[in-house]
Amino acid sequence: LASLGEELSHSPTWVPQLVINFITPSVINKHLRETEAKLARLSDETLLNYPAMVDPSKMMAMELLANLFELVCFIGEYAKLPIILSKMIQITLKHGMGPLSPLAFVQYG
């Protein structure tokens, strides 16, 4: 994700990005608050008419996050799911609706 310009958290450089153990409740809460604040400013109509995501690196980041979502579900780390969904929504709000954006919105609630 870092090579695509996206990070889940500021972790030490020696910690692999896909290691989910560095995702603490405080990091999750921070991301959720940021996402809620951004979504609160937008109406449903605005989201329905959001521009399309065109940056291939952001689409790839969304795909990696969707795959990470599945992995986290598979290993039973359900408490870590909100940060993944939050990040997907934040990418969508910044770079447009992509093919995987609806997954994030549906799962986020």
Side-chain angles (χ1 to χ4, degrees), residues 28-42 86 89-90 93 108:
I28 292 170
N29 288 334
K30 176 184 173 280
H31 274 269
L32 288 176
R33 282 191 309 273
E34 289 173 1
T35 302
E36 287 171 11
K38 290 177 182 179
L39 286 173
R41 291 183 235 139
L42 301 171
S86 178
I89 290 171
Q90 289 179 20
L93 296 179
Y108 183 81

Side-chain angles (χ1 to χ4, degrees), residues 63-105:
E63 190 171 329
L64 288 172
L65 286 164
N67 290 338
L68 182 60
F69 180 87
E70 290 178 15
L71 173 67
V72 169
C73 284
F74 180 75
I75 62 173
E77 290 283 344
Y78 303 112
K80 312 274 171 111
L81 294 176
I83 194 170
I84 298 167
L85 298 171
S86 178
K87 187 61 181 179
M88 291 177 78
I89 290 171
Q90 289 179 20
I91 292 170
T92 297
L93 296 179
K94 187 171 183 180
H95 299 282
M97 287 285 178
L100 294 169
S101 297
L103 167 74
F105 282 103

Side-chain angles (χ1 to χ4, degrees), residues 51-70:
M53 186 180 294
V54 294
D55 186 339
S57 68
K58 298 308 174 190
M59 287 186 220
M60 178 61 76
M62 293 285 283
E63 190 171 329
L64 288 172
L65 286 164
N67 290 338
L68 182 60
F69 180 87
E70 290 178 15

Side-chain angles (χ1 to χ4, degrees), residues 1-8 17-18 60-62 64-65 68 87 91:
L1 283 174
S3 66
L4 298 171
E6 300 297 335
E7 292 185 26
L8 287 178
Q17 188 65 15
L18 292 180
M60 178 61 76
M62 293 285 283
L64 288 172
L65 286 164
L68 182 60
K87 187 61 181 179
I91 292 170

